[in-house]
Amino acid sequence: MLSFLDMVNHYLGYINVSVKIKNRVYVILGALGDLYLFYIAIRYLQNGHPFWGLLILLVALILLYFAYLNTVYYFTQKKAPFDISPKIEKLLHLKPKEAELDQPKRTLGGRNIPANGYFDEKKILPGKLTSTPLEQENIQHLATRLQQNQLLQMDYSGLGEREILEQTRQTGKPVYASGPGALIPYFEMQTENNQLVVYAGMNQAEKERVGVVSTVGLQNVADVRDQIELYLANATLVGGPFKVLGRTSVIEQANDFQVAVQLAYKHQNAAHQASSADQPARDTTTTSRRARYDQAPQSQTDSEPMTRTSRYHH
């Protein structure tokens, strides 16, 4: 009986129905399981085992009370008498689901901007981080700290088993429990031994070394550092456990977390070009301020990190 209820509960995860209907089904299944406990308790009493029979009977009565509360809550609009749920919530410091839904969500005006500033998206390229085993341990520790502070949710972006199954079938790619990842609260990049070293942590006091930037775009950092200046635009914690398509269902596999970085770049001689472009306007007394703005901008011939899309525009 219990195996049957567990099987039904498992396959309910594949049914895409409203939460209220699902809870009603769970209430019915719980009532059936409670009736089975009453049957077991009676059989124990009949076979001369009063201790186990009375113990199971007591558990069945407690579960029957909660089944009654759930029946009134999910099948009617009334409030159940003698409801001790508020006292239990207060004792265990639980928050009702309705209270969480009623609270307005805090959103930033427009976009989620990292703490180190906003960079022009046209001047941002993905970077690759190379980490040593010690730095990998630092990343895993950072992931644990983010979860402890509820900054990293390992809930597969709220997807159910059926939705994950459909997504893996369509894309052929794994679905990560961390979803798109979590923005790291504090990160910085320092130059050490002619290398760009990235530090990350919950704050500046807890920062730890997480790796060295090896490539930016499709080029090695060493090949472009003499042409452009690089800045750490953002750092995100990604990876972790994921689910992939198995023979009949999705299976979960363990995986390490990683730090994904993006770097903003600026030409080293950009300031020199800007000053030289303004010099003729300052030397010519007959040129008005409006005429200065009408001058054609100089074409940029400086090289920049090549990407798959930008190479076709050169």
Side-chain angles (χ1 to χ4, degrees), residues 156-199:
Y156 290 92
S157 300
L159 298 177
E161 290 292 325
R162 182 180 179 182
E163 295 170 327
I164 296 176
L165 180 62
E166 292 178 353
Q167 183 171 334
T168 52
R169 283 177 176 174
Q170 293 176 359
T171 63
K173 298 179 180 180
V175 179
Y176 288 89
S178 58
L183 184 66
I184 299 176
Y186 179 83
F187 51 87
E188 66 178 26
M189 185 172 64
Q190 300 179 5
T191 302
E192 299 178 3
N193 298 326
N194 204 28
Q195 292 181 326
L196 299 180
V197 182
V198 176
Y199 290 84

Side-chain angles (χ1 to χ4, degrees), residues 72-309:
V72 175
Y73 183 81
Y74 289 112
F75 288 88
T76 68
Q77 300 295 330
K78 302 178 181 179
K79 184 177 180 181
F82 310 106
D83 188 1
I84 64 172
S85 299
K87 296 182 179 179
I88 296 177
E89 293 170 355
K90 184 177 180 180
L91 179 63
L92 300 179
H93 302 286
L94 300 177
K95 183 183 294 185
K97 193 66 177 178
E98 290 78 9
E100 296 178 355
L101 295 176
D102 292 338
Q103 289 181 353
K105 295 183 178 180
R106 299 180 59 186
T107 57
L108 296 177
R111 306 180 58 183
N112 185 14
I113 300 177
N116 63 333
Y118 170 77
F119 293 92
D120 186 2
E121 292 184 357
K122 297 179 181 180
K123 296 292 184 179
I124 292 180
L125 291 173
K128 181 180 179 181
L129 209 62
T130 302
S131 303
T132 63
L134 179 59
E135 292 167 347
Q136 282 287 346
E137 292 182 4
N138 294 337
I139 295 175
Q140 310 314 311
H141 176 255
L142 175 60
T144 302
R145 295 282 289 121
L146 289 174
Q147 294 180 61
Q148 291 174 349
N149 289 271
Q150 299 181 357
L151 297 177
L152 176 63
Q153 303 297 330
M154 305 294 291
D155 58 352
Y156 290 92
S157 300
L159 298 177
E161 290 292 325
R162 182 180 179 182
E163 295 170 327
I164 296 176
L165 180 62
E166 292 178 353
Q167 183 171 334
T168 52
R169 283 177 176 174
Q170 293 176 359
T171 63
K173 298 179 180 180
V175 179
Y176 288 89
S178 58
L183 184 66
I184 299 176
Y186 179 83
F187 51 87
E188 66 178 26
M189 185 172 64
Q190 300 179 5
T191 302
E192 299 178 3
N193 298 326
N194 204 28
Q195 292 181 326
L196 299 180
V197 182
V198 176
Y199 290 84
M202 293 296 298
N203 48 57
Q204 187 176 11
E206 298 183 17
K207 68 177 182 179
E208 294 179 316
R209 178 168 169 154
V210 295
V212 176
V213 180
S214 57
T215 61
V216 54
L218 297 177
Q219 295 178 265
N220 292 329
V221 172
D223 298 336
V224 299
R225 289 192 63 187
D226 58 339
Q227 304 169 3
I228 60 176
E229 297 180 2
L230 296 173
Y231 307 90
L232 186 58
N234 58 63
T236 308
L237 188 74
V238 297
F242 61 89
K243 289 186 178 181
V244 293
L245 182 63
R247 291 184 176 180
T248 58
S249 62
V250 291
I251 55 177
E252 188 174 36
Q253 296 184 3
N255 186 42
D256 291 335
F257 289 92
Q258 304 290 335
V259 173
V261 297
Q262 288 184 321
L263 293 99
Y265 64 91
K266 183 178 69 173
H267 296 289
Q268 291 186 355
N269 57 350
H272 175 71
Q273 287 183 351
S275 61
S276 62
D278 292 339
Q279 187 66 32
R282 286 195 293 265
D283 295 340
T284 306
T285 58
T286 60
T287 303
S288 64
R289 184 171 300 175
R290 180 183 298 273
R292 253 193 309 178
Y293 294 131
D294 294 336
Q295 293 178 357
Q298 295 183 354
S299 60
Q300 287 187 349
T301 58
D302 298 328
S303 61
E304 63 185 41
M306 187 71 68
T307 63
R308 290 186 176 91
T309 56

